[in-house]
Amino acid sequence: MLKIEKWLDNKILRKVSQKLKDNELKTYFKLAQEMKKYIKNPKHWWVWLAAPQVGYNIRLIIVSLLKDREDENYKTVVMFNPEILEFSVEKECGEEWCLSVPNKKGTVERPKDIKLVYQDEKWTLKSLMLSWLSARIVQHEVDHLNWILFTDRL
């Protein structure tokens, strides 16, 4: 059972997460599956989660790649060692909230499009171009890996 760490009592949320090495995939594969199961549980209905939010100082995020807030056909992806390579010049504002910062919402300006690389559950290197809501979700979670909370961007 995963415990969601809150920002006031978690030092891991304020540390840069460590990149995973090739030989560590098996060690964290089960954690990735538990995190994915957590956010896909209709009781929680969440679309993003980063390892620091559950007490692990590693570069692992689980994200649901939504086209918009009404999208019911989205894919949930496990990303080990995600790295955003490019940000668009065009920006957009959107409302954000976070499991680790309960009862707070705010409008955050972020680049509209991103290009990123990550390793999937089979340790295959993948590249994606994302826009709009999917780009926002990934940026929010990568921020967690870099000790940044959405409240820092308000």
Side-chain angles (χ1 to χ4, degrees):
M1 184 72 177
L2 296 175
K3 177 185 178 253
I4 302 299
E5 302 290 342
K6 305 300 185 232
W7 68 289
L8 289 174
D9 57 3
N10 185 317
K11 292 180 180 17
I12 290 175
L13 286 173
R14 290 307 197 173
K15 287 184 180 178
V16 174
S17 296
Q18 300 300 307
K19 185 173 181 175
L20 289 163
K21 297 178 182 117
D22 290 348
N23 64 348
E24 294 178 304
L25 175 63
K26 288 183 183 177
T27 305
Y28 294 107
F29 183 82
K30 184 177 179 187
L31 173 64
Q33 295 308 307
E34 287 179 31
M35 290 170 62
K36 188 175 183 179
K37 184 178 173 183
Y38 181 88
I39 68 169
K40 290 187 86 159
N41 183 334
K43 195 165 73 174
H44 301 133
W45 195 87
W46 211 250
V47 295
W48 53 39
L49 191 60
Q53 292 179 277
V54 293
Y56 291 83
N57 187 25
I58 58 171
R59 298 191 78 77
L60 164 63
I61 63 174
I62 315 298
V63 292
S64 295
L65 302 178
L66 301 163
K67 293 180 181 125
D68 58 46
R69 296 195 191 276
E70 312 307 315
D71 185 3
E72 294 180 8
N73 299 311
Y74 61 87
K75 183 177 180 182
T76 301
V77 180
V78 173
M79 295 182 176
F80 291 101
N81 299 324
E83 182 182 352
I84 300 174
L85 302 175
E86 296 176 21
F87 297 90
S88 65
V89 174
E90 186 179 353
K91 298 192 187 274
E92 66 174 356
C93 290
E95 188 173 60
E96 293 187 21
W97 52 91
C98 182
L99 282 170
S100 295
V101 187
N103 305 317
K104 291 195 184 290
K105 290 183 180 182
T107 301
V108 178
E109 182 180 65
R110 293 192 185 271
K112 182 178 102 35
D113 306 301
I114 61 169
K115 178 181 179 181
L116 78 144
V117 294
Y118 66 95
Q119 291 167 292
D120 68 9
E121 295 161 285
K122 295 178 182 168
W123 217 239
T124 303
L125 189 63
K126 302 277 187 169
S127 177
L128 279 177
M129 295 288 295
L130 298 174
S131 295
W132 301 102
L133 187 54
S134 291
R136 176 173 298 280
I137 289 168
V138 169
Q139 289 174 80
H140 178 107
E141 291 312 299
V142 170
D143 274 357
H144 274 300
L145 304 180
N146 296 321
W147 68 267
I148 300 167
L149 299 173
F150 85 95
T151 53
D152 300 328
R153 295 194 180 276
L154 296 177

